[in-house]
Amino acid sequence: MLDLLKDLWSFMKVRKKFWLAPIFLVLVLLGALIVLSQGSAVAPFIYTLF
């Protein structure tokens, strides 16, 4: 997993594609939110956000 992040960062640095960083960050945060809320009591409140 760490190698993937290093490769991604080097790609963005070499190709000057720093605008991709917020997109990846939002995708990771949404994925973590889905995984963490799947079995919790907070799930109904998260579903109202979408």
Side-chain angles (χ1 to χ4, degrees):
M1 185 65 176
L2 192 58
D3 290 336
L4 177 67
L5 293 175
K6 285 181 183 177
D7 287 340
L8 186 61
W9 178 252
S10 65
F11 170 77
M12 289 192 300
K13 192 166 60 172
V14 169
R15 305 266 188 204
K16 306 288 191 239
K17 303 261 186 213
F18 293 112
W19 56 270
L20 288 172
I23 295 171
F24 287 125
L25 182 66
V26 167
L27 286 174
V28 167
L29 289 176
L30 282 176
L33 183 68
I34 290 170
V35 168
L36 293 175
S37 69
Q38 197 164 13
S40 71
V42 184
F45 300 110
I46 292 174
Y47 291 134
T48 59
L49 293 175
F50 300 104

